[in-house]
Amino acid sequence: MKIKSTILILLIAVFLRTTLIGGEGMWIPMLLQQMNEKEMQEMGMKITAEDIYSINHSSLKDAILLFGRGCTSEIISKDGLLLTNHHCGFGNIQKHSTVEHDYLTDGFWAMNKSEELPNPGLTATLLIEMKKVTDSVLAGVDENMTMKERQIIIKDNIQRVTTNFEKESTYNAAIKPFFQGNAYYMMITEVFKDIRLVGAPPSNIGKFGGDTDNWMWPRHTGDFSLFRIYVDKDGNPAEYSEDNVPYQPKYYFTISLDGVEENDFTFVFGYPARTNEYLPSYAVEMITEIENPKKIELREKRLGIFNKYSSTYPKVRIQYATKDARVANYWKKMIGETGGVKRMKGIEAKQNFEKEFHDWAGSSGNNQYINLLLEFKRLYNDLTPINLATDYLMEAGMAIEIVKFANSYKKLIELSENDPKNDDAINKQIAQLKNQASEFFKDYYQPIDEEVMAVMLRLYDQNMSSEFKPEFFTAIHDKYNNNYLAYTDYVFSKSIFDKEDKLISFLNNYKPKKYKKLQNDPAYKMAYEMEALYKTKFETKRIVLNNAIDSLQRIYMKAQMEMKPDTRFYPDANFTLRVSYGKVNGYSPRDAVYYKHFTTLEGIMEKEDPDIYDYVVTDRLRELYNNKDYGTYADKDGTLHVGFAASNHTTGGNSGSPVLNAEGQLIGVNFDRCWEGTMSDLMYDPEVCRNISIDIRYFLFIVDKYAGAGYLLDEMNLIKN
């Protein structure tokens, strides 16, 4: 108990003894009052922390939801209208798209509620309350325990606490670690399961600039999509039903038509996914100098192949739109991240801090920390080659679509071999695999996969030592004389996993004794051999090393906070609701260049290029521009503002987050960061780290003037001072 009390006192002391600087930080909403409210109000905020997060009355938190499993969304109407990014809704828009009804290209607008489209499997999760549960989770934990012993006790405690809560509640509960496991909070949530597509602009608006402009500023993207939450007639979350009704929220955002000025206070309220701000230099070096460059190369090759076919065949462009976006997004982010750390001399900065830390740890009373950094160095030296080999398995081997698809048949093979009379389990598995096959082949183009396989196998072979290669490389070397194309031809000619008709026929007539046909399929054998390699060569050692690193990181986090008691520390992002705040600002990315804080429709017209898909301007948008038909959505300068930049600290998961003004009114939707600042997941530079948001007036303009869906605005609360 003494250990836990000491940690708690330390956390409170760090929060209160601080030099407050806006910009960097992703703050726990339930602690804003004691930690951040004063600074936020000094920076210009006109509301209170209780207005942002409250369990006693409705507050801003009641309008913010985790969208799916990776984005943020916000409620903007009395009838549960949900606003998020176009790229967050992209997968669902794509699922509804066909060549005949190409909603990606043409956009989609439901002109009444009966036209809204259901999205099976899509959820939206609302936070009801956060609770500090550190004492309960760490009950029975002793600092002399091994990491494995500690994890077992913590896991059991978390299971007990969440189970006990859910027995007495209709809500869900999940417990997350903060400050590297020095504190724990329980998230009490409500999950909505009937989420319907209401509207989305064409990709020439929602994804204007495409991968070229991704992560870049200036930006001119109308990155939004609209959904609606439905519930049963009693107002409870329910699976899709025609009898469900629109959700009536406890709170929905007021939308400001006033726009933003430079140096205006703003804050972002959303679900940032993952940051690692407190790593040692060895980890940052591994990520930016070793892992990122190799993953960048592998993804770049795949993207080139995707583009070659997508630019020629419209159907393939639709099929691979989501895949391309997923691969490209992190590819470009890694490039910016590595470049940003180099520009900041980030590794050197970490090393300088570590010298200071070593001197402090060697001073009186701090000897328990003296060997931390040496142990980090040893562990990361051992982990680096294993992580790199794992990257090649995932980014090269499992990037081959039929190999990854074939791997999903593992359970059927195991059931057929070990429990062949279990008809119920086998039939259930076959039904699942048939559904999966339908989804797979809908978005599959074999020539792309063949070319990807040949290129990925070559790069894998050239960059990995023999101990990290699966067995099929022996056949490539010996039987096929290092001819990757020949081996690829063999796999595709013999495999059943790229032939929809044959595969479905096989499943329709499946008998357990036929499992060997699947087991001997060359695509499945590739997947099997890669998994076997991982389990025998990587998995155990990787788990041991990562557990040891996690244990050290928890101690290192505590030590940093003890060493710097006057420095404010915020917990790393972990997909829990956070607040970040700053100012509307431009920035200077390099010598003699300055980017102002907003973009306009004029910039879209300047970028227009009818020969490049990402820069095509639709006829309707050009017509509105030529007529300057901006309605009430024009700025006071007479132009239509499209986006703006600010110094709010964001990361993945913040996509779709509401951007709010000093009064807590919606002024924008966060969708990106500037490329020069993508290293903010590892270290924050206030000079260049900027979040990028669509101006809410551009969203309203597209809905009303462009799409003619102005009826949706009738359920919103729009104000203009």
Side-chain angles (χ1 to χ4, degrees):
M1 180 62 91
K2 182 178 179 182
I3 292 170
K4 289 178 284 186
S5 299
T6 301
I7 292 171
L8 196 57
I9 292 168
L10 176 62
L11 292 177
I12 294 171
V14 169
F15 287 151
L16 296 180
R17 297 171 61 193
T18 179
T19 302
L20 302 178
I21 302 173
E24 181 177 5
M26 298 174 178
W27 305 98
I28 301 172
M30 68 175 286
L31 300 178
L32 288 178
Q33 191 168 29
Q34 59 262 48
M35 291 173 51
N36 309 91
E37 182 180 63
K38 183 176 183 292
E39 181 193 28
M40 294 172 79
Q41 291 175 341
E42 288 174 350
M43 292 175 65
M45 187 175 75
K46 298 178 181 177
I47 58 175
T48 67
E50 183 77 3
D51 295 322
I52 296 172
Y53 175 92
S54 177
I55 59 173
N56 300 312
H57 57 76
S58 63
S59 59
L60 300 186
K61 81 164 176 63
D62 297 316
I64 300 169
L65 297 95
L66 179 66
F67 185 82
R69 288 183 285 180
C71 286
T72 304
S73 58
E74 52 274 2
I75 302 173
I76 60 169
S77 87
K78 60 184 178 61
D79 288 333
L81 202 59
L82 204 58
L83 177 61
T84 189
N85 287 155
H86 184 268
H87 74 261
C88 294
F90 195 84
N92 290 286
I93 301 165
Q94 189 246 7
K95 285 178 183 178
H96 290 295
S97 295
T98 63
V99 173
E100 294 76 24
H101 300 286
D102 186 355
Y103 298 139
L104 289 177
T105 298
D106 303 327
F108 169 80
W109 302 98
M111 290 305 172
N112 55 64
K113 291 184 177 67
S114 68
E115 294 182 356
E116 296 171 0
L117 301 177
N119 300 278
L122 177 61
T123 60
T125 304
L126 176 68
L127 177 71
I128 304 299
E129 183 182 358
M130 296 179 70
K131 282 189 175 182
K132 183 172 63 181
V133 292
T134 305
D135 287 349
S136 298
V137 171
L138 295 181
V141 171
D142 187 294
E143 285 300 302
N144 294 319
M145 290 177 170
T146 65
M147 187 63 175
K148 184 175 181 180
E149 291 170 335
R150 178 187 176 92
Q151 286 177 331
I152 290 171
I153 292 176
I154 288 174
K155 182 179 179 181
D156 289 344
N157 287 342
I158 287 174
Q159 181 66 39
R160 173 179 51 80
V161 173
T162 55
T163 299
N164 288 343
F165 173 84
E166 290 180 343
K167 282 180 181 178
E168 306 296 327
S169 175
T170 58
Y171 297 129
N172 299 331
I175 294 174
K176 295 287 189 78
F178 288 71
F179 294 105
Q180 315 300 329
N182 284 298
Y184 289 84
Y185 288 84
M186 181 163 69
M187 311 298 149
I188 301 167
T189 60
E190 187 171 36
V191 181
F192 298 98
K193 300 177 180 179
D194 185 356
I195 313 298
R196 304 184 195 179
L197 178 62
V198 175
S203 290
N204 290 133
I205 291 174
K207 203 183 173 188
F208 183 81
D211 294 330
T212 304
D213 282 7
N214 191 25
W215 299 104
M216 305 300 287
W217 183 257
R219 198 69 176 275
H220 300 85
T221 312
D223 195 347
F224 76 87
S225 56
L226 280 169
F227 292 78
R228 192 186 303 277
I229 303 171
Y230 280 78
V231 292
D232 67 21
K233 291 181 178 179
D234 296 321
N236 300 312
E239 298 286 351
Y240 170 80
S241 169
E242 291 183 0
D243 295 329
N244 286 349
V245 297
Y247 174 59
Q248 305 298 301
K250 289 183 286 186
Y251 188 91
Y252 64 93
F253 283 111
T254 295
I255 299 174
S256 172
L257 295 172
D258 293 332
V260 298
E261 300 286 344
E262 193 160 21
N263 292 315
D264 278 356
F265 173 81
T266 65
F267 66 105
V268 172
F269 205 178
Y271 283 89
R274 186 68 58 193
T275 58
N276 290 287
E277 304 288 346
Y278 307 107
L279 294 174
S281 62
Y282 312 108
V284 176
E285 184 176 14
M286 179 184 73
I287 293 167
T288 61
E289 298 293 322
I290 298 171
E291 293 181 339
N292 280 359
K294 293 300 183 183
K295 287 189 285 188
I296 288 166
E297 179 186 24
L298 292 170
R299 290 193 172 211
E300 197 165 82
K301 295 294 185 183
R302 289 167 66 196
L303 288 168
I305 295 167
F306 289 175
N307 183 65
K308 181 173 75 172
Y309 291 93
S310 296
S311 60
T312 303
Y313 305 108
K315 182 180 178 181
V316 174
R317 178 179 55 76
I318 295 172
Q319 288 176 311
Y320 277 74
T322 299
K323 297 172 188 176
D324 183 270
R326 286 173 181 165
V327 175
N329 188 54
Y330 199 64
W331 161 75
K332 196 165 187 178
K333 189 262 186 182
M334 287 187 289
I335 296 172
E337 179 179 73
T338 296
V341 169
K342 286 182 178 179
R343 179 182 50 76
M344 288 181 71
K345 297 182 178 178
I347 295 171
E348 181 181 334
K350 289 275 187 181
Q351 291 169 341
N352 289 337
F353 173 81
E354 287 160 6
K355 290 176 185 176
E356 183 184 354
F357 179 86
H358 185 268
D359 292 342
W360 171 81
S363 65
S364 177
N366 296 311
N367 289 328
Q368 70 268 34
Y369 302 133
I370 193 69
N371 292 319
L372 268 178
L373 294 170
L374 283 175
E375 188 64 8
F376 268 133
K377 182 178 181 179
R378 181 186 71 81
L379 291 170
Y380 277 107
N381 280 341
D382 290 345
L383 181 63
T384 296
I386 296 174
N387 267 7
L388 190 59
T390 303
D391 288 340
Y392 270 89
L393 279 176
M394 300 308 298
E395 297 278 348
M398 286 299 178
I400 304 163
E401 292 179 76
I402 63 162
V403 173
K404 186 175 182 179
F405 178 51
N407 198 45
S408 62
Y409 282 69
K410 178 183 176 183
K411 187 173 180 179
L412 177 62
I413 292 170
E414 291 177 344
L415 276 170
S416 300
E417 184 175 15
N418 302 320
D419 196 6
K421 295 183 179 180
N422 192 341
D423 292 339
D424 289 343
I426 289 173
N427 289 334
K428 182 180 178 181
Q429 189 65 21
I430 289 171
Q432 291 176 354
L433 290 170
K434 284 168 142 182
N435 289 334
Q436 186 176 345
S438 177
E439 289 296 312
F440 175 78
F441 286 108
K442 176 179 178 290
D443 296 327
Y444 181 69
Y445 188 60
Q446 181 179 314
I448 286 180
D449 205 23
E450 289 190 53
E451 193 164 340
V452 165
M453 177 184 278
V455 171
M456 291 299 104
L457 291 179
R458 176 177 57 80
L459 290 172
Y460 196 136
D461 203 16
Q462 290 173 350
N463 287 281
M464 284 289 100
S465 60
S466 58
E467 64 177 315
F468 293 130
K469 292 177 186 176
E471 289 182 16
F472 59 76
F473 275 104
T474 301
I476 293 174
H477 299 155
D478 297 342
K479 185 175 181 180
Y480 293 94
N481 196 29
N482 297 328
N483 188 326
Y484 307 102
L485 282 172
Y487 181 76
T488 297
D489 289 342
Y490 154 71
V491 172
F492 277 86
S493 66
K494 298 295 184 181
S495 178
I496 195 174
F497 290 108
D498 64 325
K499 301 169 183 68
E500 183 174 12
D501 291 344
K502 286 186 177 180
L503 181 61
I504 296 300
S505 176
F506 180 79
L507 291 174
N508 284 336
N509 298 284
Y510 186 76
K511 302 294 181 186
K513 63 183 180 182
K514 294 183 177 181
Y515 78 89
K516 288 190 175 181
K517 179 175 176 60
L518 297 173
Q519 197 174 52
N520 293 323
D521 186 284
Y524 179 80
K525 288 180 72 174
M526 288 179 70
Y528 178 84
E529 289 172 11
M530 283 191 281
E531 185 172 337
L533 175 68
Y534 181 78
K535 287 187 175 298
T536 57
K537 291 286 184 73
F538 306 169
E539 186 176 44
T540 300
K541 190 171 183 180
R542 196 164 182 244
I543 290 171
V544 169
L545 289 169
N546 279 319
N547 282 344
I549 287 170
D550 288 346
S551 182
L552 283 187
Q553 193 66 45
R554 173 176 53 82
I555 299 168
Y556 189 46
M557 183 79 252
K558 179 173 175 285
Q560 290 179 72
M561 296 163 83
E562 289 179 6
M563 176 184 166
K564 299 283 187 180
D566 294 323
T567 297
R568 178 169 56 175
F569 290 85
Y570 54 92
D572 273 320
N574 60 355
F575 256 131
T576 58
L577 192 60
R578 303 291 183 88
V579 173
S580 60
Y581 53 93
K583 296 285 187 80
V584 175
N585 280 127
Y587 69 102
S588 178
R590 53 191 176 275
D591 184 47
V593 175
Y594 182 79
Y595 292 143
K596 65 182 181 181
H597 65 280
F598 69 94
T599 58
T600 69
L601 186 54
E602 275 79 358
I604 291 177
M605 305 313 297
E606 290 172 358
K607 288 182 175 180
E608 180 182 17
D609 188 335
D611 296 324
I612 301 176
Y613 180 79
D614 289 337
Y615 294 105
V616 171
V617 175
T618 67
D619 292 339
R620 176 60 178 157
L621 188 60
R622 187 184 302 102
E623 177 187 1
L624 291 166
Y625 169 76
N626 289 336
N627 294 332
K628 299 297 183 283
D629 186 6
Y630 305 151
T632 60
Y633 313 115
D635 192 76
K636 61 186 178 182
D637 65 11
T639 65
L640 182 65
H641 288 205
V642 172
F644 63 91
S647 60
N648 302 293
H649 191 177
T650 61
T651 186
N654 274 125
S655 292
S657 295
V659 185
L660 306 161
N661 64 12
E663 289 82 12
Q665 299 160 348
L666 188 64
I667 54 173
V669 183
N670 183 81
F671 70 89
D672 209 348
R673 286 173 282 167
C674 70
W675 195 47
E676 298 86 357
T678 52
M679 74 291 171
S680 61
D681 288 348
L682 300 173
M683 50 190 62
Y684 185 90
D685 182 354
E687 296 299 319
V688 299
C689 286
R690 296 291 183 269
N691 69 302
I692 301 172
S693 306
I694 177 176
D695 192 304
I696 203 66
R697 296 170 298 177
Y698 187 57
F699 152 71
L700 295 169
F701 164 80
I702 295 298
V703 172
D704 186 6
K705 290 285 188 177
Y706 181 92
Y711 79 96
L712 291 168
L713 277 60
D714 295 338
E715 56 185 278
M716 304 177 195
N717 182 20
L718 310 180
I719 65 167
K720 188 168 187 176
N721 294 323

